[in-house]
Amino acid sequence: MNIKGSTNIVGLIGHPVEHSFSPPMHNAAFESLGMDYAYVAFDVNPNDLKSAIEGADALNIKGFNVTIPHKIEVMQHLDELDEVARLIGAVNTIDFKNLKGYNTDGIGAVRAIEEVTSIENKNVVVAGAGGASRAISFYLSKFGASSLTILNRNLDKAQNLARDILASDLIGDVKSDSISEINTYLKDADILVDTTPLGMDPHIDDEPIAKADAMHEDLVVFDAVYNPNETVLIKEAIKADAKPIYGIKMLLYQGAESFKIWTGRDAPIDVMEKALNEYLGR
């Protein structure tokens, strides 16, 4: 990487950030397009978030990705919010041109799913009711899913998320239930989206949220966990001859969306995917 006096800086803020896969992915993209940009990860203590945003703006940093634990808190330090980021109530991308916040997590998941199947008129089951579920569920609704079923261990959280999605008027059919009832809902589901951390490294032998015998071969199964690549849920989907979608695709496409927000250019998806796979030793 050739850093010059003219180099534009973008980056990631979170706490911690040292294990992030975003720097190799974005820097490979900038290099392949011959763009004078560099992507850097910044570990920002929650107490320093306000000064980090003000400092980045003063230093003419072009954009940030935002990860845990700053996605909600950062909104109060921005001038503007994209409509979907406002609905979701969390930001993962900042454009410093107008100090505007976006959320590209949901569109990342949607683009990953749409590589395999259209979302329009599909019955979708979403496991989990946290931040990732919220981001993805709003985008699934926006992209024309006919029904959403939110399943979670804590039923109150599932009910609250279902209520918020219905209130957005993006979709008319949203249900909620306990995750223990998942097998009942998978019979009529077209797409299963797992936003829980189950099976994430180092807990790779967790019990999956659903087993192969509850799946049918037309079911599309997307797991937002990307490390390991083949999670316990994805293994069950393969066993059932269902259609697996790997979490790395969501990481890839949310990154590509951020890239476009910052630069106005389409991201080189193939280059970014190759860099991710190399970084993960695949």
Side-chain angles (χ1 to χ4, degrees):
M1 192 189 298
N2 186 16
I3 304 279
K4 305 191 283 288
S6 58
T7 300
N8 297 296
I9 301 297
V10 291
L12 169 72
I13 55 169
H15 184 66
V17 291
E18 61 265 26
H19 302 302
S20 172
F21 298 169
S22 294
M25 174 173 75
H26 282 286
N27 286 320
F30 293 136
E31 196 176 338
S32 79
L33 295 178
M35 296 175 73
D36 191 11
Y37 275 78
Y39 187 107
V40 187
F42 299 98
D43 192 321
V44 174
N45 187 289
N47 299 329
D48 300 326
L49 184 59
K50 182 174 187 280
S51 53
I53 298 298
E54 288 171 350
D57 200 20
L59 290 167
N60 201 27
I61 282 175
K62 301 302 179 188
F64 273 157
N65 282 137
V66 183
T67 190
I68 292 166
H70 304 317
K71 288 185 176 189
I72 295 167
E73 195 70 23
V74 79
M75 292 192 297
Q76 65 193 53
H77 307 302
L78 305 176
D79 290 345
E80 227 180 304
L81 287 176
D82 173 69
E83 179 204 357
V84 182
R86 187 177 48 74
L87 281 171
I88 292 166
V91 158
N92 81 329
T93 302
I94 300 169
D95 185 1
F96 280 95
K97 284 194 289 291
N98 42 12
L99 205 55
K100 185 171 181 177
Y102 298 82
N103 192 308
T104 68
D105 285 334
I107 192 70
V110 159
R111 286 185 67 184
I113 293 165
E114 292 219 312
E115 271 194 357
V116 174
T117 185
S118 165
I119 286 158
E120 198 166 358
N121 300 322
K122 297 294 195 301
N123 297 321
V124 188
V125 172
V126 180
S133 171
R134 195 175 171 87
I136 293 168
S137 295
F138 273 105
Y139 266 98
L140 289 166
S141 306
K142 189 179 161 76
F143 274 72
S146 66
S147 77
L148 272 189
T149 304
I150 312 291
L151 305 177
N152 197 49
R153 281 208 180 98
N154 179 331
L155 189 51
D156 283 350
K157 282 187 79 175
Q159 288 169 339
N160 290 340
L161 177 53
R163 206 175 296 126
D164 287 353
I165 295 163
L166 271 173
S168 73
D169 289 332
L170 290 169
I171 186 171
D173 184 359
V174 186
K175 295 183 282 292
S176 55
D177 207 337
S178 165
I179 201 160
S180 62
E181 300 299 317
I182 189 166
N183 290 2
T184 310
Y185 293 100
L186 288 184
K187 291 189 191 86
D188 299 318
D190 300 304
I191 302 168
L192 168 62
V193 174
D194 184 13
T195 68
T196 73
L198 285 173
M200 187 188 288
D201 188 69
H203 306 290
I204 58 170
D205 296 320
D206 280 350
E207 191 73 13
I209 56 160
K211 294 279 185 71
D213 56 14
M215 301 177 188
H216 55 85
E217 59 183 25
D218 292 325
L219 184 69
V220 172
V221 180
F222 169 66
D223 194 336
V225 168
Y226 54 80
N227 192 14
N229 191 45
E230 204 166 275
T231 61
V232 282
L233 181 67
I234 293 294
K235 283 176 180 167
E236 293 297 319
I238 291 166
K239 213 185 288 180
D241 281 333
K243 301 174 179 69
I245 302 173
Y246 298 88
I248 201 82
K249 292 283 187 180
M250 174 173 157
L251 181 71
L252 172 69
Y253 284 123
Q254 66 79 25
E257 202 68 22
S258 297
F259 184 97
K260 187 163 189 176
I261 287 166
W262 298 324
T263 68
R265 294 182 66 172
D266 288 332
I269 299 286
D270 52 343
V271 170
M272 292 169 85
E273 189 164 15
K274 183 170 180 278
L276 270 177
N277 284 322
E278 281 175 3
Y279 187 69
L280 288 163
R282 290 177 191 156

